């Protein structure tokens, strides 16, 4: 039987590797948005590999989270570092789901114009960045060192917002989600 700590290391490496690969692909797609590196083959490969990698990372993320919680000392979430890891991983997960959803709904046409191409590649890069920050916080928690120690990130501080600010952000998120779904429905009826 494999221990939860070992399983956590395996799943974390799967998540980090997948999101890092996706980040490289979305970076190349962002560069191509500005008509640099105009290779059609590389564009297709980056599109397919980037979305597959971010999807695979999404599948592996719950296993990394659950095994990390069960292998942490005391098996509870009392450390500010662990709370920040949860926040960062949930932001990354939400962005990654949005990237996959947009690609599935719009298809290759998402790369057809500069603004949608920049939006898609930026969201993919942000998802990758937040997941890599999550891994960095994990390194800080277990080994007291991380890849981004030079940036002096406040991992020990939990940023909490007042209820009114949380409510406003929640309403904005719900409104943009509803508008996006309405826009996708209108777009799908126009195309048929």
């Amino acid at each position: 039987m494999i221990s939860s700590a070992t399983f956590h290391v395996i799943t974390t490496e799967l998540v980090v590797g997948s999101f890092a690969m996706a980040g490289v692909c979305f970076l190349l797609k962002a560069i191509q948005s500005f008509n640099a590196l105009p290779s059609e083959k590389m564009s297709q490969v980056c599109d397919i590999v980037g979305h597959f990698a971010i999807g695979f990372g999404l599948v592996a993320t719950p296993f990394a989270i659950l095994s990390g919680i069960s292998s942490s000392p005391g098996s509870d979430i009392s450390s500010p570092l662990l709370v920040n890891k949860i926040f960062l991983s949930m932001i990354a997960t939400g962005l990654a789901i949005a990237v996959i959803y947009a690609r599935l709904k719009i298809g290759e046409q998402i790369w057809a114009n500069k603004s949608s191409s920049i939006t898609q590649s930026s969201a993919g890069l942000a998802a990758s960045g937040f997941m890599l920050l999550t891994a960095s916080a994990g390194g800080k928690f277990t080994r007291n060192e991380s890849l981004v120690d030079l940036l002096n990130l406040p991992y020990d501080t939990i940023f909490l917002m007042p209820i009114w600010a949380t409510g406003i952000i929640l309403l904005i998120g719900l409104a943009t989600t509803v508008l996006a779904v309405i826009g996708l429905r209108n777009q799908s009826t126009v195309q048929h």
Side-chain angles (χ1 to χ4, degrees):
M1 190 69 169
I2 190 169
S3 71
S4 60
T6 302
F7 187 69
H8 180 63
V9 170
I10 293 168
T11 56
T12 300
E13 294 305 322
L14 287 173
V15 171
V16 170
S18 297
F19 274 89
M21 175 60 74
V24 169
C25 291
F26 286 115
L27 177 63
L28 290 172
K29 289 298 284 182
I31 292 170
Q32 286 183 333
S33 298
F34 296 99
N35 296 324
L37 306 171
S39 167
E40 185 61 32
K41 184 69 173 168
M42 186 171 68
S43 179
Q44 289 175 347
V45 168
C46 286
D47 178 31
I48 293 167
V49 172
H51 287 96
F52 178 81
I54 211 166
F56 184 79
L58 275 175
V59 170
T61 296
F63 297 106
I65 291 171
L66 294 174
S67 63
I69 290 172
S70 67
S71 67
S72 68
S75 291
D76 63 355
I77 305 173
S78 58
S79 167
L81 274 169
L82 293 179
V83 173
N84 282 327
K85 278 184 66 166
I86 290 172
F87 286 159
L88 290 169
S89 67
M90 291 300 110
I91 292 169
T93 300
L95 285 167
I97 289 170
V99 165
I100 296 290
Y101 182 77
R103 178 60 173 84
L104 289 174
K105 280 298 190 185
I106 299 171
E108 285 185 39
Q109 288 298 100
I110 201 158
W111 305 112
N113 64 46
K114 189 173 182 177
S115 63
S116 66
S117 182
I118 290 172
T119 301
Q120 182 73 354
S121 56
S122 297
L125 277 168
S128 299
F130 279 114
M131 196 56 83
L132 295 177
L133 276 175
T134 303
S136 178
K140 192 73 172 168
F141 181 72
T142 56
R143 297 178 304 279
N144 199 26
E145 66 180 2
S146 78
L147 187 60
V148 291
D149 274 346
L150 297 173
L151 300 177
N152 239 355
L153 297 175
Y155 286 129
D156 292 330
T157 303
I158 300 172
F159 297 104
L160 298 177
M161 294 183 290
I163 296 292
W164 62 268
T166 305
I168 290 171
I169 290 173
L170 180 62
L171 289 174
I172 291 171
L174 289 172
T176 54
T177 302
V178 168
L179 291 173
V181 169
I182 290 170
L184 287 173
R185 279 194 187 155
N186 290 341
Q187 180 182 7
S188 66
T189 57
V190 170
Q191 290 177 352
H192 291 100

